[in-house]
Structure formats: C-alpha cells, structure tokens
Amino acid sequence: MTTTAGRSTPTEPRPGVKAGSVVGWLASTDHKRIGLLTVGTSLVLLLVAGGLAMAMRAQLTQPQLEVLSNDLYNQFFTMHGSMMIYMVMTPFAIGIGLYLVPLQIGAPNVAAPRTTMLSYWLYLTGAVVMLSGFSADSGAADHGWYAYPPLASSRYTPGQGVNLWIIGVALSSLGMLLMAGTVLWTVLLKRARGMAMLRMPVFSWSIVATNLMVIGAFPTLLVAVGILAGGRVYPDMFTENIWNIGYQHLFWFFGHPVVYVMFFPFVGAVAEVLATFAGRRFFGYKFLVLSLLLFAALSMSVWGHHMFTTGQAASNYYSLTSIMLVIPAGIEYFDMLATVVGGRLRFTTPMLFALAFLPQFLIGGLTGIMVGTPALDYQMQDSYFLVAHWHYTLAAGSLFALFAGVYFWFPKASGRMLREGLGKAHFWLWVAGTNLTFLPMFWLGLNGMPRRIPTYLPRDGFTTENLIATIGAGLLAVGGLVFIANVVVALRRPHQAPPDPWQAHTLEWATSSPPPTFNFSERYPIPPIRSYAPLLDLREQEQSSRAEAG
Amino acid sequence: MKSAHAVVGAWATGNLVLALILLFAFRPAGFIEQLLYIWSTALVAGFGVAVLLATRAGRVGTQRRQPRRAAAGIFAALGLAVGLTGFAYGWWLSVIAFYPLVLAAWLARGERLRRGTRPWPAALGDTEPAGPPRFVHYGSSLGTATAVPAEHAAHGPPAPPPPRPPHRLRKAALLAAGARAVVEMLRRRRR
C-alpha cells in the first residue's frame, strides 16, 4: 500500500443533474466516464461478435452441417470481423487510453472533453447503424471485413446492408480519430508539472504511439469508404482497375496500422502489469519507448504485404519493412522478459493473463513473419493459416492483454475488487479454449482449408481439427460467462478496493478508487514525479528512510 | 516541450525517409504508394504544427476552463448519423439531420464555463483561473462536481425573504370589516 492512500472523497451531484443519472453519464465531460462508456460499449459488442463466432464454429463442427445458411454465414463472418476490428478492439484500445492517460500524466481531464464525448457518440451510432444491417431486406454486409470492390459494389452486392456497413465504419472511425486526437493533444500539452515526456509511464507511451498511427492512418479509411460509397452509386467506377487496386492500397494503409492500434495499448498494459507484479522497475524503459515509436512508424510502411498476390505492390520493399518489425518487437519482448526475470512474482489474475500473452502473441508474431514473406504468402493466402495467425495475434495476444488490463484496472475504475478465484477460472478456461480453437487452424490452413467457406466434405479431412476448434470455442464462451459472473459478483457484493491494491507504480494509483472528478484533489495530491514510476520512488524512499531510522 | 516536438517531428521525418527509400530503391510501378506516404506524413506533421502553434500560444499545462456538459456532442453525433444514413435510405434524411445539428450548435455555446472561471471543486486547490478573469464565477462542472457550500461567497448576498402571502382568514376578515365599514357609512348618510 502506498503512503499516498487516504479516505475516499465523497462526491456530490451537480445541482439539477444526479451524478449517477443517465444524463449525468451520457452528457458527461469527465474523461473517466467517457472512457468507461467506450470500454463498456466495446465489451458489450464483444459479446455480440463472440456470439456470431460461436454460431460459425457450430456450423463448422462437422462436415455438411446446416446450422447457418450460406448467405447468413457470409454475413456472420463479415460482421464478426467488422465488429471485432471497428467496434471492439480499436475502441477498447483508444478508450482505455482515454480513461488512463490523464490519470497517469496528472492531468485533471482530457483536452476538449466535449469533442471526446462527440467521438463516443459517433462510435455508438456507428455500431448501431452497422448492426442494423441485420434488419435490412438483403441482410447485413457479407463481403468480408475489408469490403473489396468490385464484390462490395452495388452491382455484385445489392441491398442496404453494405451501405449501412459503410456508414457505420465511417461514423465509428471518425469517432475514434477524434478521440485519439484529443488524448494525444492531452499527452503533448496538458501534462502535470514535473511530468516530462520521458517520465510518462510505459502505458502512456504506448497510447502516444497508437494515437500517432490513428492520426496518420484513419483518415485514409474515411477516404477508402468514401470511394466505396461512390462506387455503390456509380458501379461502373469499379470496372477500372485503378479504383479497385487504389481502394486496396487505401484500405490497407489503414488496415495494417490498425492491427498495431489493437495491439500497442495492450503491450503497454502488459508492461505495467508485469512491472507491478514483478515488484520491479520496468527494464529498459527508454529502449521500449524508442521501439514503440519505431514500431509504429514502420507500421505505416508495411501495408503492401496484404497485397502480395495482387502483383500491384512492391513486394520486396514491403517484405523488407515487414521483417524489419522484428527489431522493435524483439526489443519489447526482451524488455518485458527482463522485467520479469529475477522479480518477486505475484501470480494474480492480471499477471497470469499478462504472462500468457507473451508466448501466445509470439506465435502470432512469428507466423506473421512467415506470411510477410512473399513466397510463403502466395501459398497461405486465403487459407485457415491466416485465420490462425490473425487470431493468435488478436485473440490469444491482444484479448489476453486486454483482460490483464481489465483485471488490473477494474478496482481503480469501480472501487471494487474482482474475485481472484473466478478470475483464475476465467484465465485457465481461456488458455485452454484459445489454444484448442486456434492452434488446429494452422493445420487446417496447411492442409488446404480455405477461409470463409460455410461447410466442407467429410473426405476433405478437416473434421477432427474443426471439432477440436469448436470445443475450444465452447471453453472460451464458458470463460466469458465466468468473467461476466465475476463482474456481477463484484458489483453486487462489493469488496472495496483501496487506492492502490496492487502496490503499483504509476500516478493513477495515488488517487482514490474510483478517482475524484478532477482525478487529484487536496486530499489526493499528485505525488512528486521524479521518474516513470513515482509511487515506486515513494516506496523506495520510505524504505530507505526507515532503514536509516532503524 | 522539446520531446513532444521530437516525437512528432521524428515520426514525420521517419516516414518521409521510408517513402524516399521506396521511391528510389524499389521504384514502384504506381504513384498511389508515394501519395499515401505523403498524405500520412502531412497529417501527422499537420498535427505537430498545431501542437507547436498551441505551445507558442501558451496553451500548455493544466487546463483550467472545463465544460459543464456535452449535450451538444450527442446531438451533433445523432445529426451526423441521421444525415449519413441518408446514403442508404434517401437524402431527405439529411434534412432531418439539420435540426439536431442546429440544436447542437445552439447548445454548444453555453456548455463551456466562461473565461476566468475556475471549475468547482478546483483540481488544484489554490491555483488561479486561466486567462485574465473578468469576474469570478464558481460554476459547477462535470457530472459529479461537488456542490458549492451554502455559506460560500460565490452565492453572493443572501436573497431577500419572499413576501408573505396574506392569510385567507385574515383576508376574509379584512374584507368583512371593510364591507361592514362601507355599509355603516352608507347607513349614517341615510340618517
């Protein structure tokens, strides 16, 4: 427990608006509330996207099942991918930055909080519009999450589903762009006195890199969906190859950095969790900062590796830049491992999720190098190998890190502790479920199973792996239910969280749980900031003064 | 602020270098790739320039003026969503979108605390408000702001007590007495 801990500050409602009222939340200008709304909405949408995935796994359990029609299967995989990328992982990544960064840099609020709230509402309306595609006569969008023309043009995919998908993506992306801009502005201009850039926590740096990528890449997505919308009105446009290939370039110029947008904040979260539960200062802080920025800058130059098989991208260049990503990634891995090695480890639930992230994401990363090589990519294009690689990156990697962050910061945000027993049950179910689901997909891909097929024949030899994958998906679903139960129990039968339940290192743990309106108050002042781990500094100072006195 | 400039500047420079490598070492067939690089670099560099200008304007450090609510954001987002849905269901929806957007613009005016205002409770206790204060107004801000204590000077002089409404009975008695006096007066005249 840090010495900065104190009693919680009672907050009273503003006259006319109750603090906990719906209006108080939905029109709030408090970065914590907007962040929690964004993160909460994305977790609810994770359930929706997960439900779609479960239906697809049920369809593929055995050959020639008819759980879903072919059309519905196409809609489900499109909406699963679109929801996960545009509505779940990206908003969660940016939303958790919105919640934590002002706290970590000692700012009372985010810069331009009204714009931030506008961005949340753009995201929410975007999600509603995209999901409303299921109510359209033609059904929801069914062209895959990247909506390549000419397939996604009105000539080949008529109906409102695609139009609603375009509107949903545009609204949500615009919202995320604005949110990222306000958080980055806050970091660059609104830090507390003493909080130099190189004293910011690792997580805040990961958000800087993330938001730089968002600013550089997301406007391109808006242009891309604008072209797609134009092509829906004038379908002849897509008879010209320049528009089709141009769309792919624009889309992947967004599409690759967004992978790191969905990854970097979680690397930051894992770094914080590892340092806290290893009881050590994060190893190689400056190298990690440099590697994050290098990684992010390089990520803007690798998009062409998604287009090797089109023959319309400079393959050598993109292969080179893609493989160069190993350097910053290696630095990050080395730093994280070196932080853990030799530490006094505490195996709490967030620590378990963070530790599992390391080998699981490594599988996703190493297979990424494989598919970043043109000769191998030509073989694996559009096979289940890619599905496995992608899910090891985002599900086994980012989702595990996401839950490490959720278990770590839930007490801070809610003032209540999650139950360790239920958390560990969730963890083990997910470790088993994730690897059972996605590992067999590598074999399916190598054996030639194409992605996006709604069924297969018994003689194809895909049955066993698909059955294992579906069993794994069931374990993931059960694990998800355990997590929901954990949250419900924590809210219904609260175990109050002290300001710093984990003996953590960064500024957010110096204030109450949950933090007061402007994050720090006279009762919870900002402690002296002398490094990127100010609370650890305080503890070490206290220990040394005790030692001197004793 | 030098490190902030360095981050954004290094980012833009790094991407320009990569674009030049692509252009001269690999000679791609199309022009889209270079355009994308330049576009992205311009975006990040533009953000960097905005940060630089804000720094020179002195907008650095803790922000003191805070908005009280963000209802305008809700209506702006709804307006944009309804307007864009016109792409799917007809552009007449854009006309409907006009109203929430106007409402948002109207609401946005009153949502920010006035210049010289210090949010209550102040995050940093004894700090001065931002900018030259024309008057001090201890407004409340954000959904969970603590109410200003009743005895605080921000409330101004105590309000005068409201005039007491006349009691019904007293009113009726006065009316009866008045009527009786009038009747008596008329009787005396007759005599």
Side-chain angles (χ1 to χ4, degrees):
Chain A
M1 220 61 51
T2 62
T3 51
T4 51
R7 287 175 297 164
S8 68
T9 311
T11 52
E12 290 176 24
R14 183 162 60 85
V17 178
K18 286 184 182 173
S21 72
V22 175
V23 176
W25 273 86
L26 298 185
S28 176
T29 51
D30 184 348
H31 75 96
K32 297 182 290 298
R33 287 190 163 193
I34 308 171
L36 287 178
L37 283 170
T38 309
V39 165
T41 306
S42 66
L43 285 177
V44 170
L45 292 173
L46 173 64
L47 292 178
V48 176
L52 296 176
M54 285 305 298
M56 287 189 288
R57 283 308 329 158
Q59 166 71 17
L60 292 173
T61 309
Q62 292 288 303
Q64 295 179 307
L65 285 182
E66 292 182 2
V67 178
L68 300 171
S69 67
N70 290 357
D71 283 345
L72 202 56
Y73 187 88
N74 289 346
Q75 292 172 32
F76 272 33
F77 74 67
T78 298
M79 292 302 279
H80 167 73
S82 303
M83 296 297 291
M84 285 304 295
I85 287 158
Y86 304 112
M87 307 295 173
V88 177
M89 297 304 283
T90 302
F92 191 99
I94 297 172
I96 196 170
L98 170 65
Y99 182 90
L100 286 170
V101 165
L103 282 162
Q104 289 198 330
I105 62 170
N109 203 354
V110 68
R114 287 183 299 167
T115 309
T116 315
M117 194 42 149
L118 165 68
S119 63
Y120 167 72
W121 277 92
L122 287 171
Y123 156 53
L124 182 65
T125 49
V128 171
V129 169
M130 187 189 274
L131 276 173
S132 71
F134 279 114
S135 66
D137 291 340
S138 57
D142 56 358
H143 42 51
W145 73 275
Y146 33 72
Y148 278 166
L151 175 64
S153 74
S154 51
R155 182 165 294 155
Y156 299 105
T157 313
Q160 301 300 355
V162 184
N163 293 340
L164 293 169
W165 182 92
I166 290 171
I167 298 162
V169 169
L171 286 169
S172 172
S173 308
L174 180 62
M176 289 305 109
L177 178 63
L178 291 175
M179 195 179 278
T182 58
V183 175
L184 188 57
W185 192 270
T186 310
V187 172
L188 294 177
L189 291 171
K190 305 293 177 191
R191 299 188 306 278
R193 190 168 292 185
M195 180 58 79
M197 291 284 281
L198 281 174
R199 288 179 186 169
M200 290 198 314
V202 173
F203 178 81
S204 291
W205 268 111
S206 72
I207 293 293
V208 169
T210 301
N211 291 348
L212 277 168
M213 285 188 289
V214 171
I215 286 168
F218 275 44
T220 316
L221 175 67
L222 293 173
V223 176
V225 292
I227 288 173
L228 194 59
R232 304 259 323 152
V233 179
Y234 307 106
D236 284 344
M237 206 169 107
F238 291 128
T239 56
E240 299 290 333
N241 193 43
I242 181 102
W243 288 110
N244 296 320
I245 287 298
Y247 174 87
Q248 287 198 28
H249 271 296
L250 285 166
F251 182 84
W252 288 116
F253 192 81
F254 147 83
H256 199 83
V258 81
V259 175
Y260 300 123
V261 168
M262 296 185 284
F263 164 58
F264 273 23
F266 305 121
V267 170
V270 165
E272 300 280 4
V273 169
L274 291 178
T276 298
F277 293 107
R280 299 181 71 188
R281 212 169 281 272
F282 191 80
F283 181 88
Y285 169 80
K286 285 186 182 173
F287 283 102
L288 184 91
V289 169
L290 193 67
S291 72
L292 279 172
L293 291 172
L294 185 63
F295 206 140
L298 269 175
S299 80
M300 307 299 288
S301 64
V302 299
W303 80 91
H305 73 217
H306 294 273
M307 298 170 60
F308 284 154
T309 52
T310 63
Q312 303 280 321
S315 294
N316 292 341
Y317 174 76
Y318 293 113
S319 181
L320 178 69
T321 51
S322 303
I323 291 170
M324 274 167 67
L325 288 171
V326 173
I327 298 166
I331 294 172
E332 286 167 22
Y333 256 83
F334 179 75
D335 282 349
M336 287 195 275
L337 289 175
T339 304
V340 172
V341 172
R344 284 174 298 168
L345 305 188
R346 288 176 287 152
F347 292 99
T348 57
T349 307
M351 182 63 162
L352 290 176
F353 271 101
L355 287 172
F357 162 87
L358 294 174
Q360 290 184 165
F361 185 81
L362 191 64
I363 296 173
L366 291 177
T367 50
I369 297 168
M370 292 167 71
V371 293
T373 312
L376 285 172
D377 186 68
Y378 269 73
Q379 300 298 315
M380 292 160 183
Q381 172 81 4
D382 275 340
S383 76
Y384 253 80
F385 191 91
L386 278 182
V387 180
H389 152 67
W390 183 226
H391 283 84
Y392 258 96
T393 311
L394 281 187
S398 290
L399 260 183
F400 268 69
L402 182 154
F403 277 106
V406 167
Y407 279 97
F408 187 55
W409 280 297
F410 185 88
K412 177 53 60 187
S414 67
R416 281 123 196 246
M417 300 296 291
L418 287 167
R419 301 293 195 273
E420 274 292 298
L422 285 172
K424 283 176 180 164
H426 174 200
F427 168 75
W428 287 113
L429 281 165
W430 269 48
V431 168
T434 301
N435 291 293
L436 280 176
T437 306
F438 302 120
L439 204 58
M441 289 183 186
F442 284 119
W443 277 269
L444 283 173
L446 291 174
N447 290 336
M449 181 167 168
R451 67 196 295 197
R452 301 196 180 114
I453 54 163
T455 190
Y456 49 90
L457 296 172
R459 64 170 181 270
D460 289 335
F462 304 146
T463 310
T464 309
E465 288 91 340
N466 272 304
L467 179 64
I468 294 170
T470 305
I471 293 168
L475 292 179
L476 287 175
V478 175
L481 292 175
V482 171
F483 170 70
I484 293 169
N486 202 352
V487 172
V488 171
V489 170
L491 297 178
R492 296 289 294 273
R493 295 180 186 169
H495 290 178
Q496 295 298 330
D500 181 11
W502 309 120
Q503 294 188 305
H505 299 175
T506 46
L507 279 189
E508 74 271 27
W509 303 100
T511 189
S512 61
S513 300
T517 305
F518 290 109
N519 297 342
F520 299 93
S521 59
E522 282 148 11
R523 186 171 293 169
Y524 294 99
I526 299 174
I529 303 161
R530 297 197 187 90
S531 76
Y532 58 90
L535 299 200
L536 189 62
D537 293 342
L538 280 182
R539 273 197 293 274
E540 286 175 353
Q541 196 180 346
E542 195 181 334
Q543 281 169 0
S544 61
S545 58
R546 267 192 211 154
E548 281 171 16
Chain B
M1 290 312 301
K2 281 179 184 171
S3 19
H5 298 158
V7 168
V8 178
W11 177 280
T13 312
N15 272 298
L16 269 179
V17 169
L18 285 169
L20 290 173
I21 292 172
L22 174 65
L23 182 64
F24 292 110
F26 293 89
R27 300 183 186 282
F31 59 92
I32 298 172
E33 292 152 86
Q34 271 73 41
L35 275 184
L36 280 171
Y37 260 130
I38 292 165
W39 153 252
S40 158
T41 306
L43 283 169
V44 178
F47 190 86
V49 169
V51 169
L52 190 69
L53 292 175
T55 310
R56 288 194 177 166
R59 292 179 184 168
V60 186
T62 305
Q63 187 163 322
R64 313 242 181 267
R65 289 174 72 199
Q66 300 282 347
R68 285 177 286 192
R69 61 176 181 274
I74 302 174
F75 289 105
L78 287 177
L80 271 173
V82 171
L84 281 179
T85 313
F87 172 64
Y89 293 113
W91 290 108
W92 57 271
L93 277 167
S94 309
V95 180
I96 297 177
F98 179 72
Y99 294 102
L101 287 174
V102 168
L103 184 59
W106 182 68
L107 281 173
R109 289 188 64 209
E111 286 185 342
R112 197 169 185 203
L113 292 186
R114 282 162 289 186
R115 197 167 175 78
T117 298
R118 192 158 65 94
W120 181 275
L124 303 170
D126 51 351
T127 50
E128 288 301 311
R134 285 196 287 267
F135 59 91
V136 176
H137 164 71
Y138 287 83
S140 65
S141 77
L142 308 182
T144 55
T146 308
V148 179
E151 68 279 5
H152 198 278
H155 288 290
R164 282 174 59 196
H167 198 271
R168 276 185 187 173
L169 275 176
R170 200 174 64 181
K171 208 173 171 182
L174 282 172
L175 203 68
R180 193 172 172 179
V182 172
V183 170
E184 273 302 308
M185 201 169 65
L186 290 174
R187 274 183 191 170
R188 280 177 193 170
R189 271 192 183 177
R190 279 177 198 166
R191 283 172 196 167

